[in-house]
Structure formats: structure tokens, C-alpha cells
Amino acid sequence: MKQPNPLTGYKVDKSTLINLEKGKIPPQATDLEEVVLGAMMIDKKGVDEVIDILSPDAFYKEAHKFIFESIFKLFENSEPIDLLTVSSQLKKDQKLDVIGGDFYLISLTQRVSSSAHIEFHARIILQKFIQRSLIKISNEIIEEAYDETKDVFDLLDTAEAKLYEVTQGNVKKSTESAQSLVIQAKKKIEEISNKEGMSGIASGFDKLDKLTSGWQPSDLVIVAARPGMGKTAFTLTMARNIAVNTNTPVAFFSLEMSSVQLITRLISSETGLSSEKLRTGKLEKHEWEQLNVKVKTLEKAPLFIDDTPSLSIFDLRAKARRLASQYGIKMIMIDYLQLMTAGGSQKGGNREQEISMISRNLKALAKELNVPVIALSQLSRAVETRGGSKRPLLSDLRESGAIEQDADIVSFIYRPEYYKIDEWDDEERSPTAGQGEFIVAKHRNGGLENIRLKFLGHLGKFDNLDDFDTPFGEEYHSKMNEAANDNTFTPDSFISPSDAFDAPEDDGVPF
């Protein structure tokens, strides 16, 4: 039976009407979009409240996108925002006729009398946008899931990455204008000037922070060394400095040592007590007090340790996204790169190709989460066979030249004392005892430098060379570091270096 169509007057099948009633349209709130835009044009307070909540893409109606873009441009240029200025900006962008002319703008301002509840309305618009984004992503995932040529692990990684973007409220933009980027850069420069030049995350090593201005977001930093140089000690010291001193959340992925061993190192470093005493619990009364007081700083530190062995790059990215979402981590450390696996469809091929793929993905992860990623790396044995100075070179990076290519900073840790070299190869010929060198061999956005650091072997930590803070004498440190290298000295009263830490055999020394 035919029924008249209320819109056209023509008769249509009843079944057609039923199908239309069951049809779906994307989530939207165009009435609220009109109210929000109208309020922004009549009240500056309304602009301030929602300008950082919404984006042009959040609006369902295309005309509303263009109007918001014009308002945003006026806001960026610190120009007044009202009916006339928005109309003028739309005319300049050749979008005034597209949105319906001045008549439509006037109708928007007549919808409201104030900007009351504008933030609440903007949140609803944002929710509708997120719903539309989820529908779009879900459709893409469904389509890719039917594709038999797609690897299931790659599909999972892609799906999780897209959902993470929505969770963070930053669905990727395809392009950004030069004007927008210049404004962002200027704001960042202003922020840096207020922080005395420290634009990134301070490592706690003064000369290194001066060179790098802190570890920068989205940078991949490689810290490479031969076993026994103190790679883990260096990164643990940094993790402690960042988490304790600045209360910045840090994720530490340890593929070699257990989380208990790592935290024992940190406790020993923080309290000055040997790990042997910590393992056996044979502490004097004053040592218990020392432990209970000093360990509180570590308890409160936002440091998250994952000791999953043979971690794949796929699992690492998934874990890092969750940590970023739940705890807002600002730095990722990995100990160490060569122990990672490719996972997913990347299995197979030689080890060099696998390491290349891992380093590319680490750089991609740094950009995706906008945090610095510090990855430890082994060096080839060429360092050991070289005569004279054993200072590492870029060519010594093990298994892949892609590491050097992908990294923003490539650095090395070098302790000549380990090789029985008693003096530095400089004009002063100063002693190497209890010292290490942090070598910045590649720096994409800055200079290169060899930075001397104090190495406190018995505590498993590095410190600034000039002002390290420790209750023990210099002669004692020298003897302890000597013991850490050849295991010949055992002090009766304090720490046995050979038992100081439960380090892996591959490191050669317990640090």
C-alpha cells in the first residue's frame, strides 16, 4: 500500500518509510553548535572558556567549521571577536557566502543572550565528535580485519594507536598552516625563556642539561657502551633524578634485570647501604633508621618499572600508551635495545634488519607520545681490540647503522679506569679514578661534547663531577671504584663491591 510522502506528496511504499526510520545518522548536536558559536561572537568570556576545548573538526556542520576557524584566527592574532570581525575574516577567507552570508551569522547571535553554560555545551559537542571518530575508526578496523593479507599484530597495534589518539583528545591533523606552527613555536620559546633555557626534562647532570636544554619531547636518545661501563647505573641515576627531584613520571623497561634488582640498586644508591645488607636484612639500628627515612623519597617517586623479558616492540608500544594514558609518563627508558624482539609480522629476516625496525618504531613511539625515549645499546667488540684510547665511535654501534640514522642523539659512556688507563688523554693528564665520560657523538639539534662525570661505583650511580654529594671520602671512592673494576679490594667495614648489586654477568662488573 502506498502512503503520501509528507515532504514531496508522492506515494511511497510503507516498507521504505520503515527503513528510513531505522536508518542512522552520525552523532551530532548542531543546535548546540549554533549556541556556542553565537555566544563566542557576543561574549569574549565565552571564547576564553572553549577555545582550547574545541577544534574546527569537532563541528558537524561544515558552515560551523568555517565560522570557528575564523574565530580561532582572530583569537590567535589577538584581534577582537564579534559579529563584524568574524564576518570580515570569513570574507577574507572567501567563506562568507559558503556559510550563508551575514544573515546566518546574525541568526546565530540571536540564538543566545550570554555565554552562560558555554563550556558545558562545548563538552557535549566534543563528545559527539569523539563518537563520530570512534565510528570512523571502528569501520576502518572492521574493513582491515576482513583483509586476509593484514597481519593480526599489526592490526592490533594500528587499532590501539588510533584509539589512543581519541583517548588523548588529539585526533591527528593531516596538515598545519605555517601561521599556526609559528605561533606554537613562539609560545614554546617564551616558555623556555621563563625556564632559564630548560625546554626539556632535566637529567640532573648540569653540563649535559646545558648542552641539550634537557631531554626533548619526541627525541630518540641512544646511550651506548661496552659491558661494564655503567649504562644501567647511568639511566637509573637519571630516572631517580627525574622522578624524585622533579616529580616527573618515568617508565623504565628493563629487559635484563628484574624490577626488584633495579629497585634494590636505587635503594642502595639512595641510602648508602650495601645491597648485601639489604638482602640479608642484617642492619644496625641506625641503618634501619637510615633506610626508613631515605627510602620514603623513592616510595613517592612516579617511577614505573616493567621487567618483561624479551619484550617485543609491539608490546612495548602498547604498554607505553597505557602508561601515558593512566599515569601521564613524560619519559621512557629501555635497558636495552638488543634484547628486544620485533614481534608481529616483522619476525624473520636477519638481526640487523630486526634492529633497524625496532629503532624506527622507537622513534615513531617518541613522536606519537611526544616524550623522549632513551634506549641503551651495546657496542661491538671492536672497541676492545682497538689500541690506545678505547673511546667509542659511531661506527662501533652494534648490529645496525639504522640506530645512528634514527636517533636524534647518540651518546656513549666511557670509563678509561676500566681499561687500566690511569690518566685522561688531555693536557692536564688528570687521573681517571672514579670518573666517567658521557660522550655526545651525534646531536641533531645541538652541539657535541665530552662531559666528565663522577662515577660512584660502590653506590652504582653517576653524579656531577664538581659537586657530587656523598658522605664518604675521596680516597675511599677511589679504592671502591678500583675494586669495582678488578674485584681485588674488599673493605671490612662497609661494602663488598663484588656483592654490591645483582648485576647480569654480561656487564662484566656489577655496575
Side-chain angles (χ1 to χ4, degrees), residues 8 25 85 114 288 480:
T8 63
I25 60 173
T85 56
S114 73
W288 277 112
M480 292 304 297

Side-chain angles (χ1 to χ4, degrees), residues 261 264-265 268 273-280 457-460 480 483-484 487-491 494-503 509-511:
Q261 287 175 326
T264 301
R265 277 196 178 198
S268 181
L273 300 172
S274 71
S275 60
E276 180 184 4
K277 285 190 174 184
L278 296 176
R279 284 197 307 268
T280 59
H458 61 292
L459 295 180
M480 292 304 297
N487 292 320
T488 58
F489 173 74
T490 304
F494 199 69
I495 300 175
S496 171
S498 60
D499 295 328
F501 300 110
D502 297 324
V509 296
F511 312 108

Side-chain angles (χ1 to χ4, degrees), residues 226-227 378-399 419:
R226 285 294 295 158
Q378 291 281 26
L379 292 177
S380 68
R381 295 182 183 273
V383 177
E384 311 288 345
T385 59
R386 201 161 44 231
S389 173
K390 306 291 185 180
R391 188 175 278 107
L393 305 171
L394 285 172
S395 57
D396 296 324
L397 282 172
R398 187 173 172 183
E399 290 181 317
Y419 297 108

Side-chain angles (χ1 to χ4, degrees), residues 46-67:
V47 177
D48 295 335
E49 288 190 20
V50 304
I51 196 71
D52 59 344
I53 297 175
L54 299 175
S55 66
D57 289 335
F59 291 86
Y60 179 76
K61 195 171 179 180
E62 189 176 40
H64 297 164
K65 293 181 182 180
F66 296 145
I67 296 171

Side-chain angles (χ1 to χ4, degrees), residues 283-295:
L283 303 179
E284 302 295 333
K285 182 179 179 181
H286 72 277
E287 290 175 329
W288 277 112
E289 293 175 356
Q290 186 178 345
L291 174 65
N292 292 331
V293 171
K294 292 197 172 184
V295 82

Side-chain angles (χ1 to χ4, degrees), residues 232 235 252-256 262 333-337 339 376:
T232 303
T235 47
F252 196 106
F253 292 90
S254 175
L255 286 78
E256 191 171 40
L262 286 175
M333 296 181 177
I334 302 159
D335 182 15
Y336 58 90
L337 190 148
L339 291 179
L376 303 189

